[in-house]
Amino acid sequence: MALLMVPLLRTASQRLSAMAAAEGPSVAGPLSAAFVTCPSQTVAREIARALVEKRLAACVNIVPQITSIYEWKGKIEEDSEVLLMIKTRTSRISALADFVRSVHPYEVAEVIAVPIQDGNPPYLKWVAETVPE
């Protein structure tokens, strides 16, 4: 499943980049999707549950068994990880990142976010209603 997502995520990223380039400087939308990698299912569940309980996220999807390849301290590393896909308000990304950094076991936790450009209106309304400003 994770292998099938890579081309989808790459294509989506390329589309967003092309759209942004065509439209000029981007303005963040009111909702965002954030991504955090975790070393285990246990850590992922704990962080996901806390984000929802603290109302920093409306929903967190836990994607198991991803492989991350990256450079760290001069070496190429390869690790099995778990990916969190977090739906939240753009205005809450900073607080979300602060919380993740405070509880995450990694020296440098990955917290990245992209604005949600479009989606199912009732779902987006629910996200906005669930996560306070």
Side-chain angles (χ1 to χ4, degrees), residues 7-27:
L8 279 174
L9 291 173
R10 186 178 305 122
T11 300
S13 175
Q14 290 168 341
R15 273 190 166 157
L16 287 173
S17 295
M19 287 172 29
E23 295 174 4
S26 65
V27 176

PDB file of all heavy atoms in Angstrom, residues 7-27:
ATOM      1  N   PRO A   7       3.700   7.224  -5.826  1.00  0.00           N
ATOM      2  CA  PRO A   7       3.387   7.930  -7.068  1.00  0.00           C
ATOM      3  C   PRO A   7       2.220   8.912  -6.908  1.00  0.00           C
ATOM      4  O   PRO A   7       2.238   9.986  -7.491  1.00  0.00           O
ATOM      5  CB  PRO A   7       3.026   6.808  -8.050  1.00  0.00           C
ATOM      6  CG  PRO A   7       3.626   5.578  -7.476  1.00  0.00           C
ATOM      7  CD  PRO A   7       3.643   5.778  -5.992  1.00  0.00           C
ATOM      8  N   LEU A   8       1.235   8.552  -6.096  1.00  0.00           N
ATOM      9  CA  LEU A   8       0.101   9.452  -5.873  1.00  0.00           C
ATOM     10  C   LEU A   8       0.555  10.733  -5.193  1.00  0.00           C
ATOM     11  O   LEU A   8       0.169  11.832  -5.595  1.00  0.00           O
ATOM     12  CB  LEU A   8      -0.950   8.770  -5.004  1.00  0.00           C
ATOM     13  CG  LEU A   8      -1.889   7.814  -5.706  1.00  0.00           C
ATOM     14  CD1 LEU A   8      -2.776   7.104  -4.687  1.00  0.00           C
ATOM     15  CD2 LEU A   8      -2.753   8.556  -6.696  1.00  0.00           C
ATOM     16  N   LEU A   9       1.351  10.596  -4.142  1.00  0.00           N
ATOM     17  CA  LEU A   9       1.841  11.773  -3.428  1.00  0.00           C
ATOM     18  C   LEU A   9       2.751  12.612  -4.320  1.00  0.00           C
ATOM     19  O   LEU A   9       2.688  13.838  -4.312  1.00  0.00           O
ATOM     20  CB  LEU A   9       2.583  11.359  -2.156  1.00  0.00           C
ATOM     21  CG  LEU A   9       1.715  10.759  -1.057  1.00  0.00           C
ATOM     22  CD1 LEU A   9       2.577  10.242   0.076  1.00  0.00           C
ATOM     23  CD2 LEU A   9       0.705  11.765  -0.552  1.00  0.00           C
ATOM     24  N   ARG A  10       3.595  11.952  -5.123  1.00  0.00           N
ATOM     25  CA  ARG A  10       4.483  12.668  -6.032  1.00  0.00           C
ATOM     26  C   ARG A  10       3.659  13.438  -7.049  1.00  0.00           C
ATOM     27  O   ARG A  10       3.902  14.616  -7.310  1.00  0.00           O
ATOM     28  CB  ARG A  10       5.430  11.689  -6.726  1.00  0.00           C
ATOM     29  CG  ARG A  10       6.483  12.394  -7.572  1.00  0.00           C
ATOM     30  CD  ARG A  10       7.458  11.427  -8.238  1.00  0.00           C
ATOM     31  NE  ARG A  10       8.090  10.563  -7.269  1.00  0.00           N
ATOM     32  CZ  ARG A  10       8.034   9.232  -7.297  1.00  0.00           C
ATOM     33  NH1 ARG A  10       7.395   8.613  -8.246  1.00  0.00           N
ATOM     34  NH2 ARG A  10       8.640   8.515  -6.387  1.00  0.00           N
ATOM     35  N   THR A  11       2.652  12.806  -7.633  1.00  0.00           N
ATOM     36  CA  THR A  11       1.803  13.455  -8.624  1.00  0.00           C
ATOM     37  C   THR A  11       1.054  14.629  -7.996  1.00  0.00           C
ATOM     38  O   THR A  11       0.984  15.709  -8.577  1.00  0.00           O
ATOM     39  CB  THR A  11       0.799  12.447  -9.223  1.00  0.00           C
ATOM     40  OG1 THR A  11       1.542  11.399  -9.830  1.00  0.00           O
ATOM     41  CG2 THR A  11      -0.092  13.099 -10.254  1.00  0.00           C
ATOM     42  N   ALA A  12       0.505  14.430  -6.817  1.00  0.00           N
ATOM     43  CA  ALA A  12      -0.215  15.506  -6.133  1.00  0.00           C
ATOM     44  C   ALA A  12       0.724  16.670  -5.838  1.00  0.00           C
ATOM     45  O   ALA A  12       0.364  17.834  -6.030  1.00  0.00           O
ATOM     46  CB  ALA A  12      -0.840  14.990  -4.843  1.00  0.00           C
ATOM     47  N   SER A  13       1.922  16.364  -5.385  1.00  0.00           N
ATOM     48  CA  SER A  13       2.903  17.407  -5.090  1.00  0.00           C
ATOM     49  C   SER A  13       3.277  18.181  -6.356  1.00  0.00           C
ATOM     50  O   SER A  13       3.371  19.402  -6.343  1.00  0.00           O
ATOM     51  CB  SER A  13       4.150  16.777  -4.469  1.00  0.00           C
ATOM     52  OG  SER A  13       5.141  17.742  -4.293  1.00  0.00           O
ATOM     53  N   GLN A  14       3.490  17.467  -7.456  1.00  0.00           N
ATOM     54  CA  GLN A  14       3.828  18.120  -8.720  1.00  0.00           C
ATOM     55  C   GLN A  14       2.684  19.012  -9.193  1.00  0.00           C
ATOM     56  O   GLN A  14       2.912  20.119  -9.675  1.00  0.00           O
ATOM     57  CB  GLN A  14       4.176  17.071  -9.778  1.00  0.00           C
ATOM     58  CG  GLN A  14       5.487  16.376  -9.511  1.00  0.00           C
ATOM     59  CD  GLN A  14       5.695  15.144 -10.378  1.00  0.00           C
ATOM     60  OE1 GLN A  14       4.761  14.582 -10.936  1.00  0.00           O
ATOM     61  NE2 GLN A  14       6.947  14.713 -10.483  1.00  0.00           N
ATOM     62  N   ARG A  15       1.440  18.529  -9.049  1.00  0.00           N
ATOM     63  CA  ARG A  15       0.276  19.341  -9.441  1.00  0.00           C
ATOM     64  C   ARG A  15       0.198  20.614  -8.611  1.00  0.00           C
ATOM     65  O   ARG A  15      -0.051  21.687  -9.137  1.00  0.00           O
ATOM     66  CB  ARG A  15      -1.009  18.547  -9.247  1.00  0.00           C
ATOM     67  CG  ARG A  15      -1.378  17.712 -10.394  1.00  0.00           C
ATOM     68  CD  ARG A  15      -2.772  17.198 -10.139  1.00  0.00           C
ATOM     69  NE  ARG A  15      -3.313  16.643 -11.341  1.00  0.00           N
ATOM     70  CZ  ARG A  15      -4.261  15.763 -11.367  1.00  0.00           C
ATOM     71  NH1 ARG A  15      -4.785  15.329 -10.243  1.00  0.00           N
ATOM     72  NH2 ARG A  15      -4.719  15.312 -12.498  1.00  0.00           N
ATOM     73  N   LEU A  16       0.352  20.463  -7.287  1.00  0.00           N
ATOM     74  CA  LEU A  16       0.297  21.634  -6.421  1.00  0.00           C
ATOM     75  C   LEU A  16       1.400  22.630  -6.752  1.00  0.00           C
ATOM     76  O   LEU A  16       1.167  23.835  -6.785  1.00  0.00           O
ATOM     77  CB  LEU A  16       0.379  21.219  -4.946  1.00  0.00           C
ATOM     78  CG  LEU A  16      -0.860  20.551  -4.374  1.00  0.00           C
ATOM     79  CD1 LEU A  16      -0.585  20.047  -2.962  1.00  0.00           C
ATOM     80  CD2 LEU A  16      -2.033  21.495  -4.375  1.00  0.00           C
ATOM     81  N   SER A  17       2.595  22.141  -7.030  1.00  0.00           N
ATOM     82  CA  SER A  17       3.707  23.019  -7.392  1.00  0.00           C
ATOM     83  C   SER A  17       3.422  23.759  -8.689  1.00  0.00           C
ATOM     84  O   SER A  17       3.675  24.956  -8.808  1.00  0.00           O
ATOM     85  CB  SER A  17       5.001  22.220  -7.523  1.00  0.00           C
ATOM     86  OG  SER A  17       5.367  21.695  -6.284  1.00  0.00           O
ATOM     87  N   ALA A  18       2.888  23.032  -9.673  1.00  0.00           N
ATOM     88  CA  ALA A  18       2.565  23.650 -10.960  1.00  0.00           C
ATOM     89  C   ALA A  18       1.469  24.699 -10.795  1.00  0.00           C
ATOM     90  O   ALA A  18       1.540  25.785 -11.375  1.00  0.00           O
ATOM     91  CB  ALA A  18       2.139  22.586 -11.969  1.00  0.00           C
ATOM     92  N   MET A  19       0.465  24.373  -9.998  1.00  0.00           N
ATOM     93  CA  MET A  19      -0.626  25.327  -9.767  1.00  0.00           C
ATOM     94  C   MET A  19      -0.105  26.574  -9.061  1.00  0.00           C
ATOM     95  O   MET A  19      -0.461  27.695  -9.408  1.00  0.00           O
ATOM     96  CB  MET A  19      -1.736  24.680  -8.943  1.00  0.00           C
ATOM     97  CG  MET A  19      -2.549  23.673  -9.717  1.00  0.00           C
ATOM     98  SD  MET A  19      -3.739  22.688  -8.765  1.00  0.00           S
ATOM     99  CE  MET A  19      -4.204  23.698  -7.413  1.00  0.00           C
ATOM    100  N   ALA A  20       0.747  26.378  -8.069  1.00  0.00           N
ATOM    101  CA  ALA A  20       1.292  27.513  -7.325  1.00  0.00           C
ATOM    102  C   ALA A  20       2.134  28.395  -8.227  1.00  0.00           C
ATOM    103  O   ALA A  20       2.055  29.623  -8.165  1.00  0.00           O
ATOM    104  CB  ALA A  20       2.111  27.024  -6.135  1.00  0.00           C
ATOM    105  N   ALA A  21       2.942  27.781  -9.086  1.00  0.00           N
ATOM    106  CA  ALA A  21       3.782  28.548 -10.002  1.00  0.00           C
ATOM    107  C   ALA A  21       2.920  29.352 -10.973  1.00  0.00           C
ATOM    108  O   ALA A  21       3.225  30.507 -11.281  1.00  0.00           O
ATOM    109  CB  ALA A  21       4.716  27.620 -10.763  1.00  0.00           C
ATOM    110  N   ALA A  22       1.846  28.757 -11.444  1.00  0.00           N
ATOM    111  CA  ALA A  22       0.966  29.434 -12.394  1.00  0.00           C
ATOM    112  C   ALA A  22       0.194  30.570 -11.745  1.00  0.00           C
ATOM    113  O   ALA A  22      -0.109  31.570 -12.378  1.00  0.00           O
ATOM    114  CB  ALA A  22      -0.010  28.429 -13.010  1.00  0.00           C
ATOM    115  N   GLU A  23      -0.134  30.421 -10.473  1.00  0.00           N
ATOM    116  CA  GLU A  23      -0.958  31.406  -9.786  1.00  0.00           C
ATOM    117  C   GLU A  23      -0.143  32.470  -9.058  1.00  0.00           C
ATOM    118  O   GLU A  23      -0.704  33.407  -8.525  1.00  0.00           O
ATOM    119  CB  GLU A  23      -1.869  30.698  -8.778  1.00  0.00           C
ATOM    120  CG  GLU A  23      -2.875  29.790  -9.436  1.00  0.00           C
ATOM    121  CD  GLU A  23      -3.675  28.994  -8.422  1.00  0.00           C
ATOM    122  OE1 GLU A  23      -3.502  29.205  -7.212  1.00  0.00           O
ATOM    123  OE2 GLU A  23      -4.479  28.160  -8.855  1.00  0.00           O
ATOM    124  N   GLY A  24       1.162  32.322  -8.980  1.00  0.00           N
ATOM    125  CA  GLY A  24       1.982  33.276  -8.256  1.00  0.00           C
ATOM    126  C   GLY A  24       2.103  32.891  -6.800  1.00  0.00           C
ATOM    127  O   GLY A  24       1.841  31.747  -6.433  1.00  0.00           O
ATOM    128  N   PRO A  25       2.473  33.847  -5.938  1.00  0.00           N
ATOM    129  CA  PRO A  25       2.662  33.534  -4.518  1.00  0.00           C
ATOM    130  C   PRO A  25       1.386  32.954  -3.908  1.00  0.00           C
ATOM    131  O   PRO A  25       0.286  33.424  -4.168  1.00  0.00           O
ATOM    132  CB  PRO A  25       2.996  34.887  -3.887  1.00  0.00           C
ATOM    133  CG  PRO A  25       3.397  35.766  -5.017  1.00  0.00           C
ATOM    134  CD  PRO A  25       2.707  35.237  -6.242  1.00  0.00           C
ATOM    135  N   SER A  26       1.555  31.927  -3.099  1.00  0.00           N
ATOM    136  CA  SER A  26       0.384  31.273  -2.528  1.00  0.00           C
ATOM    137  C   SER A  26       0.008  31.896  -1.196  1.00  0.00           C
ATOM    138  O   SER A  26       0.836  32.460  -0.494  1.00  0.00           O
ATOM    139  CB  SER A  26       0.646  29.782  -2.341  1.00  0.00           C
ATOM    140  OG  SER A  26       1.672  29.591  -1.396  1.00  0.00           O
ATOM    141  N   VAL A  27      -1.256  31.788  -0.895  1.00  0.00           N
ATOM    142  CA  VAL A  27      -1.780  32.214   0.394  1.00  0.00           C
ATOM    143  C   VAL A  27      -2.343  30.960   1.053  1.00  0.00           C
ATOM    144  O   VAL A  27      -3.121  30.232   0.438  1.00  0.00           O
ATOM    145  CB  VAL A  27      -2.883  33.284   0.209  1.00  0.00           C
ATOM    146  CG1 VAL A  27      -3.496  33.648   1.550  1.00  0.00           C
ATOM    147  CG2 VAL A  27      -2.335  34.499  -0.498  1.00  0.00           C
TER     148      VAL A  27
END
